[in-house]
Amino acid sequence: MYTLDELQLIVSRCHRCGLSKTRTNVVFGEGNPKAKMIFIGEGPGFYEDKMGRPFVGKAGQLLDKMIEAIGLKREDIYIANIVKCRPPNNRNPLEEESNICIEYLRWQVKIIDPNIIVCLGAVAARNIIDKDFRITKERGIWFDRGKYSIIATYHPAALLRDQSKKGEAWEDFKNIRKRYEEADGKMEG
Ligand code: URA
């Protein structure tokens, strides 16, 4: 089993798909390496590619606010993406790109060993929960997969585009906080 640092070094040198040709930086992911909860987005955007860090643009700022609103800090959790390199013009990752890169995410999840996985948006949910996942119908529902409790909610970029989704997203975040406390109790009890 790799350490997170070893895995990061491997991923930083990855050329397994075409996205490596256009990236500025690999965005491996960051946060608490022992987090109980992982948030998973789609892939780096413009600012993430420039900085090599996940969720640092406008959507990231909204995500930070939502995390703080449920009493947590970014440092408490871990944040990663389905693909580690920015798709040109922020297009959705191709199936082939996701299929290759998700192997790295699986390693990250194995190493960090969280209880809760939060999929941000349909791309993450389709790669993690079900390939036909419908975010408007199935967000907010817990899927228990082995040791992991998995949920999907709207991507923060979708909330920036459509304010009317914010109420549902807030319900999801409260629900996530509740499950987080339950997991905490189990761990400490
Ligand atoms: N959107 C994502 O899905 N991931 C990021 O890291 C930034 C924006």
Side-chain angles (χ1 to χ4, degrees):
M1 178 97 133
Y2 297 117
T3 65
L4 216 44
D5 286 346
E6 285 165 347
L7 184 64
Q8 181 159 9
L9 189 64
I10 293 168
V11 178
S12 73
R13 296 170 177 162
C14 180
H15 292 280
R16 293 178 64 202
C17 84
L19 297 182
S20 65
K21 295 198 185 88
T22 48
R23 75 180 175 222
T24 311
N25 286 294
V26 171
V27 179
F28 179 69
E30 66 180 26
N32 181 348
K34 296 193 169 140
K36 290 192 302 274
M37 178 152 73
I38 300 193
F39 282 72
I40 298 174
E42 177 178 322
F46 178 84
Y47 292 103
E48 291 78 19
D49 174 64
K50 289 275 170 274
M51 296 181 66
R53 298 181 52 210
F55 281 99
V56 290
K58 279 222 169 75
Q61 285 159 21
L62 177 57
L63 179 63
D64 285 347
K65 277 195 200 148
M66 296 177 81
I67 290 168
E68 278 165 27
I70 56 168
L72 296 172
K73 294 188 294 292
R74 203 174 155 115
E75 306 84 77
D76 294 324
I77 59 159
Y78 195 89
I79 306 181
N81 283 302
I82 297 290
V83 293
K84 311 288 192 232
C85 299
R86 182 189 182 211
N89 302 316
N90 295 350
R91 64 159 168 74
N92 283 355
L94 304 177
E95 201 178 319
E96 189 198 334
E97 294 158 353
S98 303
N99 287 346
I100 291 172
C101 209
I102 204 166
E103 272 185 47
Y104 295 133
L105 182 63
R106 288 204 188 97
W107 275 107
Q108 276 172 303
V109 170
K110 262 194 205 122
I111 296 166
I112 297 164
D113 194 28
N115 303 93
I116 299 168
I117 297 175
V118 180
C119 300
L120 296 169
V123 170
R126 288 185 186 144
N127 278 281
I128 292 171
I129 302 173
D130 186 282
K131 67 176 183 21
D132 298 318
F133 196 90
R134 291 155 308 164
I135 194 81
T136 48
K137 295 220 168 94
E138 294 168 293
R139 48 145 280 281
I141 299 172
W142 288 103
F143 297 84
D144 290 313
R145 297 273 170 84
K147 63 201 291 200
Y148 306 117
S149 292
I150 311 180
I151 195 170
T153 187
Y154 292 120
H155 192 289
L159 302 178
L160 291 172
R161 283 193 300 269
D162 179 359
Q163 302 271 330
S164 74
K165 292 188 164 84
K166 279 194 173 169
E168 288 172 314
W170 178 233
E171 288 307 312
D172 296 342
F173 268 71
K174 285 192 287 187
N175 191 348
I176 290 164
R177 170 74 213 190
K178 193 160 162 270
R179 183 70 63 117
Y180 183 84
E181 277 166 16
E182 286 163 9
D184 214 13
K186 256 187 239 158
M187 281 177 64
E188 284 163 13

